[in-house]
Amino acid sequence: MTFRERILKWDIIGKTRTWFTMSSIIIVIGIAAMVVNTISFGSPLKFGIDFIGGTLINASFEKAPDEAVVSSILSANGYSNVTVQRAGEKGITMKVEASEIDPAVSGKIISDIVAKYGAVDVGTYEITSIAPVIGRDLLRRSSLALGLSLLFTLLYITIRFKFSFGLATILGMVHDIFVALGILAVFRVPLNAPFVGAFLAIITYSVQDGVVVMDRIREKLRYRAKEPFDKLANAAVTETWMRSFNTSFTTFLAVLVLFIMGGAPIRDFSTTLLVGIISGTYSSIYISTPLLVLWVQGREKAAALQKA
Amino acid sequence: MRSKVTASLILVIVVAIAAGVINYEGLIAKNTKLIPKLGLDLRGGVRIVLEAQDTESAKATNDAIDAAVVVIDKRVNALGVSEATVVREGVNSKRIMVELPGWTDPEAAKGIIGKTALLEFKTEDGKVVVNGSNLKSVQAALSQVQGSLGEPEISFELDAAGTTAFAAATQANVGKKITIYLDSQVLMSPTVDSAITDGKGVISGGFTTAEVSKDVLLLKSGSLPVKLVTLSEEVVGPSLGSTFVRRSALAAVIAFLLVVIWMFVMYRYLGLVSGIALIIYADILMAAYLVLHATLSLPAIGGAILSIGMAVDANCIIFERIREELGMKKTVKSAIGAGFSRAFRAVFDSNLTVLVGTAFLFYFGSGTVRGFSVTLALGVLASMFTAVFASHTLVDLLLTPAIARNSRKFLG
């Protein structure tokens, strides 16, 4: 028996409890991490300066700067809540909290260090200085965009399929959101503006993947004889399993290459994507479809009771 | 059937060639109309976001903010930054975003952009007699006066109203001082010898050439009608972005090869078809970016890579379907026909769901989110086109009788 033939024999829907338990454990760990983070750091996720404001400077100088000396230069200028870290051969990363610095004067920090360690390499330096209000706006607008696009996705699937299909897909997506946020919370990955893009990508991917599985169930329903819905749904997911795997695997490959080669600027972004691709594929097969089965079976049972 | 294949084939070839020409013009011949637009995070530069604030003397009204945008635009252009953009962040937004691609000195930029540049001539009792709006012309000049010969100074000429007011004020204040302020800082404080009636004068007093040219630039572009505070500042060194662009281009090529290899392992002959379809896809997608001047930024590249996954997905759906149909002991030809037509609905619905989502993201999202939704939407459209026209046509075309007989071997 080939691998493909073996897949068709899998009882995915029959093991619903296993999949739900697995996902619950992952989500519970994520939520626990968020709670721990909230207690020890004050917020469930590690928001970067794009969301909470502050100043981040990455710069290389002619001479290798010393962390302690840079720290003392900064504190002499009145910035005490700073993190200073060596980066590369002659580079240094400085982070100043938003409460202490006005974006209007952030450049002054650099000039003081230039005086000590020689000219800054303008080819590779980076300054990001953001007022907290901008970060809050970004968070608010992105959440609004996200919420509305979820709502209209649900509407679209309801029109093209059925409300129950849409609901199952959206719940699968909510699952992916929690898994991704949980993992970001566990590893305390700093979230910045590009993360919004990565997050949207996860959600899109999840919907796209879910719709293909739902389409197969819809098609099977059309030719349905007397077979029970769980058997039908199981056949639909096993028949589309190989496609789901191949699609995710190829996308996974593409993002993995980006993860390895893209370097630091895109690392957190691609990590989020990798988690999302795995979770998105998994949820459309192992979460959304079983949920749909539970819903439809519940309805069918209720209908049978009414008849009796 | 054959004529339909020919029609699709012609369509695919025409589109692919047109896209190819656009890509050649934009990427290799560097046609200025088609040069790819890179976001600030990729090409380097300075981005500053300012917010208008109400003060006692000036409210941040819509008109005032629009006027401020015009003033800043003049100043930025005077700096000589090519392709600088100055925009309000939304129709009723109080924020103004300034982008200076390639610029590396944020302090110099802020010194020019956010300065109110309100020029005032005040008498000793604090009365404003003339202000910046009365200026007819301003120029950098060199002192002609013995003693300070050759020192940089600012020469100015007032308009008719200003000339009258200045004449009256100098007349009334002979022997007293008239102080000239720029943003409440004293530029000079000369004593009036006699009435000045021609409305001309110079401002001097030990300025450097750089100071003079900066102040002239500010005065020429007019003063800002509203107070602006800096909300954010981002500076990206130009080599950071270009390293990333080079790396991600290489990453895209490697990713493409890996995907094609995997598709070949999984679907053999059909996998190669998807390889060709992917090339056409990338060709069309790049051309669409160039024609629509989509800004390529970090999240946008994320959207693009994700759409590669979706382009492959359309092929996976179709090929799996063909396999299944073959499993039902259909002939290769009818299996392929049925595979494409049955898979089409899944491809259509999944892609359209994504399009609906991206439309909302675009409408409600801000900069980052918009960039992502544009590239993703273009990717989805391009992938639908290639899946429906290119893949199908290629499979039909390459389906020679010899292959049809050995279907199992060739289709994996």
Side-chain angles (χ1 to χ4, degrees), chain B residues 64-395:
Chain B
I65 295 170
D66 282 335
V69 168
V70 174
V71 171
I72 295 174
D73 201 41
K74 272 189 203 162
R75 292 181 185 175
V76 166
N77 280 320
L79 278 178
V81 180
S82 64
E83 287 180 70
T85 42
V86 182
V87 286
R88 263 180 98 164
E89 286 204 324
V91 182
N92 285 311
S93 169
K94 286 194 168 176
R95 295 194 188 141
I96 299 172
M97 188 184 72
V98 182
E99 282 194 344
L100 309 172
W103 192 260
T104 52
D105 188 351
E107 294 312 301
K110 277 186 290 188
I112 287 167
I113 292 165
K115 275 273 188 302
T116 309
L118 182 61
L119 184 74
E120 284 173 319
F121 290 57
K122 284 187 187 172
T123 57
E124 276 180 12
D125 50 1
K127 228 181 87 200
V128 177
V129 286
V130 170
N131 68 32
S133 66
N134 296 118
L135 286 177
K136 189 170 141 195
S137 69
V138 196
Q139 257 163 344
L142 295 176
S143 176
Q144 307 291 328
V145 184
Q146 279 292 330
S148 65
L149 191 70
E151 266 183 30
E153 58 180 23
I154 302 164
S155 80
F156 64 88
E157 195 179 339
L158 298 169
D159 62 5
T163 306
T164 318
F166 196 49
T170 42
Q171 188 91 57
N173 287 285
V174 174
K176 291 182 188 164
K177 281 181 174 173
I178 287 189
T179 313
I180 305 173
Y181 295 90
L182 183 63
D183 287 344
S184 311
Q185 276 186 316
V186 178
L187 282 184
M188 72 184 295
S189 193
T191 308
V192 180
D193 293 331
S194 59
I196 300 169
T197 52
D198 63 354
K200 285 182 189 164
V202 292
I203 304 171
S204 58
F207 302 129
T208 65
T209 317
E211 281 168 342
V212 166
S213 59
K214 185 184 126 190
D215 287 345
V216 166
L217 188 159
L218 290 172
L219 292 174
K220 267 190 180 163
S221 50
S223 64
L224 286 175
V226 61
K227 188 186 172 205
L228 295 174
V229 293
T230 309
L231 275 193
S232 82
E233 165 197 77
E234 285 160 86
V235 187
V236 182
S239 24
L240 278 182
S242 60
T243 313
F244 179 74
V245 170
R246 235 177 306 121
R247 277 188 180 173
S248 54
L250 189 61
V253 173
I254 293 176
F256 170 78
L257 290 176
L258 287 178
V259 166
V260 173
I261 290 171
W262 180 255
M263 290 298 279
F264 179 70
V265 169
M266 290 312 292
Y267 302 106
R268 296 295 152 89
Y269 187 72
L270 289 176
L272 287 184
V273 168
S274 72
I276 301 171
L278 261 187
I279 292 175
I280 298 175
Y281 163 79
D283 179 40
I284 294 175
L285 189 61
M286 193 66 225
Y289 289 165
L290 296 182
V291 170
L292 297 174
H293 297 287
T295 305
L296 300 177
S297 61
L298 239 143
I301 286 182
I305 287 185
L306 195 70
S307 69
I308 294 180
M310 293 189 177
V312 176
D313 184 41
N315 285 305
C316 286
I317 294 173
I318 293 165
F319 298 164
E320 281 296 327
R321 199 71 210 215
I322 292 175
R323 255 176 192 285
E324 274 180 55
E325 302 288 336
L326 275 175
M328 295 173 191
K329 303 272 179 277
K330 286 192 180 168
T331 63
V332 174
K333 212 180 173 105
S334 69
I336 287 175
F340 270 102
S341 66
R342 296 230 168 117
F344 177 74
R345 240 193 7 205
V347 174
F348 178 82
D349 270 331
S350 63
N351 282 317
L352 220 63
T353 316
V354 172
L355 274 187
V356 170
T358 52
F360 277 89
L361 286 180
F362 182 81
Y363 194 75
F364 292 100
S366 51
T368 313
V369 177
R370 283 192 164 196
F372 170 79
S373 55
V374 168
T375 45
L376 186 59
L378 289 176
V380 167
L381 290 172
S383 94
M384 272 171 94
F385 177 82
T386 43
V388 174
F389 292 102
S391 298
H392 198 171
T393 313
L394 284 169
V395 172

Side-chain angles (χ1 to χ4, degrees), chain A residues 96 116 120 123 140 143 163 179 189 194 216 222 231 260 285 295 300 302 307:
Chain A
V96 186
K116 180 101 189 158
V120 62
R140 193 175 49 84
S143 318
F163 175 71
V179 169
V189 178
R216 185 55 73 98
R222 200 168 300 160
K231 292 276 172 299
I260 296 166
I285 299 172
W295 169 287
E300 284 177 351
K307 254 188 206 167

